Amino acid sequence: MSTTREILRSLLMEFNRNSGALASALVTRDGILISSALPEDVDAEAFAAMTATMVGAAETAFSELKAGAAERVIVEGSRSKIVAVGAGENVILVAMAPKEATLGLILHEIRKVSDKIKKVLS
Amino acid sequence: MLMKLKTGVMLLDDMLRGGLETGATTLITSKPFTEATPLAYQVAYRWLDAGYPVIYLTNNKRPDIIMEDMKRYGWDLTKFKEENALVFVDAYTGFMGIKSEERYAVLNPYDLEEVDGALLKAVNDVGKNSLIIIDSLSTMLDHFGEIVVEKFEEWRKIAVLNDSHMLYIFVEWDFEEEVKRRLRDRVDNIISLSPIEKGVILSDFFTIEKVGGKSIKPVSIPFRYVKPGGMKIYIPKILITGPYHAGKTTVVHALSTRAVSVQRGETTVALDFGHFEHKGFQADLFGTIGQQRFDPILEQLGGETLGVILVVDSTDPSSFPRAIEMLHKARVYGLPLVVFANKQDLPGALPPEKVRELMKLPKDVPVIGTIATKKVNIIEGIEELLKLVFKGVSESDVDNP
Ligand SMILES: Nc1nc2c(ncn2[C@@H]2O[C@H](COP(=O)(O)OP(=O)(O)OP(=O)(O)O)[C@@H](O)[C@H]2O)c(=O)[nH]1
Ligand SMILES: [Mg+2]
């Protein structure tokens, strides 16, 4: 019922701890924020909208190229990286981690938490 | 003398037909995890600011914690407390076996008569036209059981005799339906706060179920609390779309307190995003791309839109069919819509009525002549859209047959 919001938030916080991510958020494919565990000074709604656009653009690029489905979007930055993965039909999980963080661990933790999130949202 | 004070929350005051009235009783009922206290703080602030006293009975947190919490929402009430315009009836500290420093302290909060005595003393001392907040009724029911429903009846009389307003905070955990019904029957106004799940999105909504003793057709309004600022009506998505170069990005930035755009040169290649805030309303604005080659992104961004601003370049009627096509592509055709006939400052700009005619727009779609670069008619335009989105809300005070 109404505790969904709290559960999602604690799942994200747990994910941050386990994966070494600094921030994570759940976003709908059309860019609306569902839940987030972000630093206070991050504009969560803007981050959500941009993430959805980024994923949507990547998926479109793939389908235009007839290159199969885009499974995740990974952006490597100078100080950090962003990983975005589908977590359910209409939901994207996005995580931000330091540059040094291990991608394998992040992806593993994303898979784990996605399963839980799917259950909570279904 | 009867008076009515506004809560300061847009639409809520309309639905309450002007605000909260002295002599009446209001129940703010909420589901667990949707907070009701910030709304009570907001009403308390309004009351004090207008020069009238507030009595705050607390049985679930310390008065100093409440003061701090209020400050976080932007209302520093220290001055009012020093002047005794704001008084606490402390029915909480006693639970800890500690003596409260408040003037109206309840030594044994497990004794309903003592709670009642302290409240009455406060009511007599502060005088007429006070706002009496009971935080919370649910905790009282937990402690004292159904006898509270009888007390409720007595306190209602106090409100009437004393020209005060009683405001109860009620969190709906496991109470019996019968008890809830009896409480609901005994109040004049019911403001209900609850989270609604729409797909995977959770938003908080407020609804007025009863006004002036009569049930009304409930209309749900989305809101969120902001610190500072309190309760704001919140629309998660207003879509701002329209053909290439029409002025969408300029509109988003003109309306926003903060905005970001993904631009390459002069054109938008992903989206514009901005926070809009005006007269108690907040909305997040999604400005789309205009160029056709980015249409897949447009198609993706339309979901969950509650209202649309369609921006067109009034000097370029050849772009009008594209404008309508974009509404279809974003799957927002049929939603509340306002058309900005933009660039009215340029020579050859068609007047709004001509734009309406050429676009074959229905009569109920407002077409507004705007100059986005000079912010002309931009705010007025979005106000029209808000009116459409919340159409029927102010008229909702029609009694249920
Ligand atoms: N004269 C005049 N110029 C305007 C007005 N509104 C926007 N412009 C100008 O029109 C140009 C395009 O404006 P944008 O806001 O970038 O338009 P857009 O619709 O976001 O464009 P795309 O993202 O490329 O589709 C800019 O040079 C603006 O300064 C207006 O009301 N009058
Ligand atoms: Mg633009």
Side-chain angles (χ1 to χ4, degrees):
Chain A
M1 221 191 61
S2 47
T3 58
T4 313
R5 202 181 333 210
E6 329 292 315
I7 297 172
L8 291 176
R9 217 181 118 73
S10 56
L11 283 177
L12 289 177
M13 295 201 293
E14 184 189 299
F15 164 77
N16 289 0
R17 276 195 307 274
N18 294 347
S19 67
L22 301 170
S24 57
L26 280 174
V27 173
T28 65
R29 287 191 183 270
D30 31 41
I32 307 245
L33 184 71
I34 302 169
S35 181
S36 67
L38 297 170
E40 286 256 323
D41 57 341
V42 174
D43 183 337
E45 287 86 6
F47 181 66
M50 291 302 164
T51 299
T53 313
M54 194 171 82
V55 172
E59 282 172 348
T60 310
F62 263 67
S63 63
E64 291 297 313
L65 286 169
K66 305 196 174 42
E71 296 206 327
R72 51 183 165 257
V73 178
I74 299 167
V75 184
E76 309 254 7
S78 59
R79 288 192 290 129
S80 38
K81 56 182 134 228
I82 290 179
V83 183
V85 181
E89 209 176 306
N90 188 28
V91 183
I92 300 163
L93 174 74
V94 55
M96 201 257 292
K99 190 180 165 60
E100 312 74 56
T102 344
L103 192 57
L105 176 65
I106 297 174
L107 290 175
H108 175 70
E109 291 297 331
I110 285 185
R111 229 168 288 136
K112 260 172 52 186
V113 76
S114 301
D115 285 344
K116 290 185 195 167
I117 288 165
K118 275 181 215 162
K119 275 189 202 119
V120 174
L121 290 176
S122 65
Chain B
M1 196 197 74
L2 286 186
M3 61 164 199
K4 228 176 213 187
L5 279 184
K6 285 194 188 322
T7 63
V9 180
M10 292 294 295
L11 299 180
L12 183 60
D13 285 323
D14 293 338
M15 292 160 89
L16 288 168
R17 297 184 193 143
L20 299 177
E21 204 169 9
T22 51
T25 299
T26 299
L27 187 70
I28 304 180
T29 165
S30 71
K31 299 285 182 289
F33 300 104
T34 300
E35 281 186 287
T37 41
L39 177 57
Y41 299 161
Q42 190 154 349
V43 177
Y45 169 74
R46 281 279 165 160
W47 218 271
L48 290 164
D49 191 51
Y52 301 103
V54 171
I55 299 165
Y56 198 117
L57 184 147
T58 171
N59 56 17
N60 58 78
K61 43 195 173 294
R62 290 200 324 251
D64 56 314
I65 301 287
I66 295 175
M67 291 293 287
E68 267 170 43
D69 209 16
M70 286 172 163
K71 210 186 268 178
R72 251 176 259 131
Y73 284 98
W75 303 298
D76 186 353
L77 304 183
T78 318
K79 183 184 82 178
F80 295 107
K81 187 153 189 281
E82 282 164 6
E83 292 165 354
N84 283 325
L86 168 64
V87 300
F88 283 95
V89 176
D90 184 352
Y92 175 72
T93 310
F95 284 129
M96 314 277 139
I98 305 169
K99 196 176 172 324
S100 166
E101 279 159 27
E102 299 300 324
R103 182 187 314 221
Y104 307 99
V106 182
L107 292 179
N108 177 13
Y110 292 104
D111 179 354
L112 179 56
E113 289 316 311
E114 210 186 305
V115 175
D116 186 38
L119 181 66
L120 292 188
K121 187 161 182 310
V123 170
N124 277 330
D125 288 355
V126 304
K128 296 212 163 203
N129 292 327
S130 60
L131 169 73
I132 305 166
I133 297 174
I134 308 291
D135 180 4
S136 68
L137 186 58
S138 4
T139 305
M140 280 198 176
L141 277 166
D142 279 349
H143 286 149
F144 309 122
E146 283 183 36
I147 181 113
V148 171
V149 183
E150 310 307 318
K151 266 288 170 254
F152 206 73
E153 202 53 36
E154 279 174 38
W155 290 345
R156 183 189 169 113
K157 283 181 201 128
I158 294 171
V160 175
L161 292 174
N162 210 53
D163 289 342
S164 295
H165 189 91
M166 293 290 293
L167 186 67
Y168 291 93
I169 292 175
F170 184 59
V171 187
E172 287 193 32
W173 50 72
D174 300 334
F175 295 111
E176 277 171 36
E177 285 307 317
E178 173 61 16
V179 172
K180 285 199 261 187
R181 193 189 56 74
R182 281 165 69 200
L183 291 175
R184 285 168 174 270
D185 282 351
R186 284 169 168 74
V187 296
D188 301 293
N189 310 317
I190 301 176
I191 302 171
S192 126
L193 311 178
S194 60
I196 298 182
E197 280 184 36
K198 206 174 145 254
V200 293
I201 303 166
L202 296 161
S203 325
D204 287 319
F205 286 79
F206 69 76
T207 300
I208 306 289
E209 294 176 18
K210 202 173 171 186
V211 172
K214 290 193 187 118
S215 295
I216 60 166
K217 188 174 122 253
V219 184
S220 296
I221 310 284
F223 78 92
R224 66 175 175 186
Y225 289 119
V226 293
K227 294 176 189 175
M231 188 185 252
K232 305 277 178 187
I233 291 158
Y234 174 57
I235 306 177
K237 189 186 283 184
I238 287 179
L239 198 72
I240 300 187
T241 191
Y244 171 59
H245 217 59
K248 303 176 289 297
T249 300
T250 313
V251 166
V252 170
H253 285 258
L255 285 172
S256 300
T257 48
R258 275 195 60 218
V260 283
S261 294
V262 187
Q263 299 276 104
R264 283 299 165 263
E266 264 227 329
T267 199
T268 307
V269 295
L271 89 158
D272 311 299
F273 182 88
H275 296 290
F276 167 76
E277 167 143 27
H278 177 63
K279 289 187 182 165
F281 289 93
Q282 288 193 340
D284 287 337
L285 310 178
F286 287 61
T288 75
I289 42 74
Q291 300 197 58
Q292 209 140 1
R293 64 172 183 277
F294 294 118
D295 278 1
I297 297 180
L298 174 68
E299 285 160 34
Q300 183 205 344
L301 279 179
E304 304 301 335
T305 298
L306 288 180
V308 183
I309 295 176
L310 182 62
V311 186
V312 295
D313 179 343
S314 310
T315 67
D316 182 14
S318 72
S319 71
F320 295 173
R322 163 75 179 151
I324 299 290
E325 179 199 55
M326 290 178 86
L327 295 181
H328 287 287
K329 285 205 158 160
R331 292 193 208 95
V332 295
Y333 193 87
L335 290 178
L337 169 70
V338 170
V339 176
F340 282 13
N342 196 32
K343 306 199 183 181
Q344 286 294 321
D345 56 322
L346 292 184
L350 297 167
E353 275 319 302
K354 190 72 188 163
V355 172
R356 172 195 299 284
E357 192 189 311
L358 291 176
M359 290 181 76
K360 301 188 183 63
L361 292 165
K363 270 221 149 41
D364 55 351
V365 173
V367 181
I368 293 158
T370 59
I371 307 169
T373 38
K374 300 196 181 102
K375 301 195 181 190
V376 174
N377 269 349
I378 299 291
I379 289 280
E380 291 79 354
I382 197 166
E383 279 181 346
E384 287 298 316
L385 182 65
L386 292 174
K387 271 189 221 156
L388 291 179
V389 171
F390 294 112
K391 197 176 159 191
V393 169
S394 325
E395 298 121 62
S396 72
D397 52 0
V398 188
D399 297 335
N400 258 348

